[in-house]
């Protein structure tokens, strides 16, 4: 078992190649994430009544999102450019709320093209609900992030711990 484990953990890359491979894997991960999201949106707009068509993409997207969230929270990493504050969470939530609102508008408009006020109301309602839910989740995650960072800073450094 140890021989197999060593075989899969041994790296033949130098440090520069390792960084390049990590960058390629990171870009591939985000390409898959955003590609799945776009595919889901297109499928929901193109086939509004068929929920079975998007189940596979939805499961993969949710698993990927949960993994990324848990892994980042565990390591005390939030984002490279965004801060975990209320203003940033509000802006991100507004943007995130517009996407399902637009999808809902298009679905309702596809079924009832002569009732534009109802289509706008449905899209606005979904935008507010999704944006509010996103803001609540981001606020909870930001608080958990701050707590985790405080825990990590309180822990002794690994190098100091090994020297003892």
């Amino acid at each position: 078992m140890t021989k197999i484990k060593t075989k899969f953990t041994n790296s033949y890359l130098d440090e520069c190649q390792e960084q390049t491979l990590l960058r390629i894997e990171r870009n591939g991960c985000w390409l898959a994430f955003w590609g799945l999201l776009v595919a889901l949106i297109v499928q929901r707009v193109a086939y509004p009544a068929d929920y079975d068509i998007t189940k596979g993409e939805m499961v993969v997207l949710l698993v990927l999102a949960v993994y990324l969230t848990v892994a980042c929270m565990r390591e005390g990493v939030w984002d490279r450019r965004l801060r975990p504050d209320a203003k940033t969470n509000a802006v991100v939530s507004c943007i995130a709320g517009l996407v399902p609102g637009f999808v809902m508008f298009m679905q309702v408009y596809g079924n009832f093209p002569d009732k534009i006020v109802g289509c706008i109301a449905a899209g606005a309602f979904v935008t507010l609900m999704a944006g509010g839910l996103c803001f609540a989740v981001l606020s909870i995650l930001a608080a958990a992030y701050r707590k985790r960072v405080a825990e990590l800073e309180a822990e002794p450094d690994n190098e100091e711990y090994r020297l003892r």
Side-chain angles (χ1 to χ4, degrees):
M1 187 68 177
T2 306
K3 190 174 183 179
I4 294 173
K5 185 178 178 182
T6 304
K7 184 79 172 171
F8 285 109
T9 58
N10 191 15
S11 177
Y12 298 106
L13 303 176
D14 63 20
E15 192 171 321
C16 183
Q17 291 172 324
E18 189 73 39
Q19 291 296 320
T20 302
L21 182 60
L22 287 173
R23 190 174 49 247
I24 291 168
E25 290 171 343
R26 179 196 68 200
N27 292 341
C29 174
W30 287 113
L31 181 67
F33 184 86
W34 294 112
L36 281 169
L37 186 62
V38 169
L40 277 170
I41 292 169
V42 169
Q43 288 173 348
R44 296 302 318 145
V45 171
Y47 307 104
D50 192 4
Y51 287 94
D52 291 337
I53 199 167
T54 59
K55 285 181 181 174
E57 289 90 346
M58 182 64 79
V59 168
V60 173
L61 183 68
L62 289 177
V63 168
L64 184 58
V66 168
Y67 169 74
L68 289 172
T69 302
V70 169
C72 286
M73 296 298 284
R74 187 174 175 196
E75 296 298 325
V77 176
W78 183 258
D79 188 75
R80 188 170 287 117
R81 292 176 217 103
L82 303 176
R83 295 175 186 254
D85 56 12
K87 181 182 174 187
T88 304
N89 291 346
V91 171
V92 170
S93 298
C94 286
I95 294 169
L98 287 174
V99 174
F102 176 73
V103 171
M104 178 56 73
F105 171 80
M106 293 303 291
Q107 284 182 338
V108 174
Y109 185 74
N111 292 332
F112 307 102
D114 55 336
K115 301 190 189 261
I116 191 72
V117 175
C119 299
I120 292 172
F125 179 75
V126 170
T127 297
L128 290 175
M129 295 302 291
L133 181 64
C134 183
F135 184 76
V137 170
L138 281 175
S139 298
I140 291 169
L141 288 174
Y145 163 77
R146 284 187 216 101
K147 182 179 176 185
R148 179 65 182 150
V149 167
E151 288 174 0
L152 288 173
E153 289 176 355
E155 290 179 2
D157 289 343
N158 290 338
E159 292 298 321
E160 290 179 6
Y161 188 73
R162 286 184 200 148
L163 294 176
R164 291 181 188 169

